[in-house]
Amino acid sequence: MSEENTKTIIETETAAPSPKKKKRIESNWITKSICLIVALALAAVAGKSFYDQRHFKETVVSAPGLTEIKYLSDYVPALKGTYGDTPIFVYDSGVEGGSVLYCGGTHPYEPATSLSAYIMMENIEVTKGKVYIMPQANYSGTTLGIMGNAYPKDFDIETEWGKATYKIGDRTSNPLDQWPDNFTYIHYPSKQSQAYNDLRNLNRCFPGRLDGTFTERVAYAIMELIRNENIDMAIDSHEASIMYPVVGVYVAHNDAMDIAMMAAMDLTSTTFDMKIEQSPGSLKGFSHREWGDYSDTLAVLMETPEPFIDRIVGPMTRDLMLTGQDLFLSFAGKKGLTYVPYELETGWPMEVRVGRHLSSAERLIYYMNMFFPEKEVQATWPGYNELVEKGCGAFLHNPEEADPELVFKV
Amino acid sequence: MTLVEAVIHYAYFVMAGIIGLFFLKGLFKREKHKGLAYDVVYAYCIIPFLLRILFIK
């Protein structure tokens, strides 16, 4: 066969349509329209879920001692009407004394913090000084879940009168409120370089600034709250994964170290293990650092164990959020890789985590009263032992039967 | 700075809308890759941009 003939045969074979090509479905206006309609239907289904989370409000029945409701927009008016505005419930005994701020929801994917604030609000009795409770410090972050983490948007607490539903939010502010993320995040005013997505992390934005980003304005408003209300002690509640070293711990500003040290020793000897760390001076943007540096308050951050947010857990379900029981974590626990004890049978249930926060806050106030009698605050709410014995639901009141003036949507 | 940030913030929403429109145009008017599989991909990719410009996600 000549070279020319061979070339002709190859060209002919190449030019001929393959059987596979013949089978390809050619699209037309009808198939394109069907694809678009299906996509829009999927968008509607997903969109409803996202919309519901963006607009869902948690219900709380306040104790009768509520004297005032303030908002962050009272301190930074630019926040009014935005998802950065959030209520602060004030319980003033009318007796001169100190003042305490309790913050939940700085990281809204740590919901034992908000739930502990709600249980505090529902059962608090203040007989000296003032207590300020802010259940959702970063409200914007409660309006979505973490992108890429397939977990439920809420969980239920069983009560005698039915179920109370609470959100599981994100770690940071919603991109709908602050977007786009910069390539780098330079903390103000320290100029310390931090992870780019921490620009939306409230607990990396303190002390904030009035003309800063959305999250920095929220942080600034909280600082203004602390400064204007002369808050003597500010407590920021958090949860942490149990394979992270800073868990089951107080992290205290230098000025609050003595108080937190005494509270940790007291709790460890009587109720549950509680560690203590001093806030590192070079770690910028954190509440335990900046609240103390930029105001006269005694700043303490608290962490309880939350297995739900550990990296190695199995399915992230409502059950995991409520019980903290996970098979994979139990293997890590047996290998000694967790920073708090972990057993599959016990896990870290919600009532234990909420109870830890409530007792930890109570002990801080107790020792503040001892160290600074002029700042004395006398307040009571349910503690760890009661929570563990009766569960969270026992301390939540039925909004249907409560005085409507004490029922709030947060 | 607050104003500049707000302008950038809303500019990105506008850009999300424009990109969504490009996908819509690509779905119905593209010159290459005319198979059904590409229709599905183009239609699916519209979803996040649609949810973003509607301030839902």
Side-chain angles (χ1 to χ4, degrees), chain A residues 117-138:
Chain A
Y118 290 139
I119 289 177
M120 192 182 281
M121 280 177 62
E122 298 217 8
N123 301 278
I124 193 169
E125 190 176 350
V126 185
T127 52
K128 187 170 186 183
K130 289 184 190 178
V131 176
Y132 295 73
I133 303 174
M134 180 162 50
Q136 299 285 14
N138 186 0

Side-chain angles (χ1 to χ4, degrees), chain A residues 25 27 29 31-32 35-36 39-40 43 47 50-51 175-180 209 211-214 217, chain B residues 1-2 5 8-9 12-13 24 27-28 30 34-36 39-40 43 46-47 50-52 55-57:
Chain A
I25 302 169
S27 65
W29 281 89
T31 56
K32 288 172 192 294
C35 286
L36 183 61
L40 291 177
F50 294 135
Y51 184 89
L176 291 177
D177 302 312
Q178 183 181 322
W179 184 57
R209 52 181 156 177
D211 63 346
T213 64
F214 171 84
R217 289 198 293 273
Chain B
M1 183 173 164
T2 311
E5 190 197 306
I8 294 170
H9 183 61
Y12 266 69
F13 280 92
L24 193 63
L27 174 61
F28 287 100
R30 66 183 182 274
K34 295 192 172 183
L36 177 63
D39 284 349
V40 172
I46 290 171
I47 295 174
L50 177 67
L51 294 180
R52 181 53 58 100
F55 278 77
I56 291 173
K57 175 65 176 174

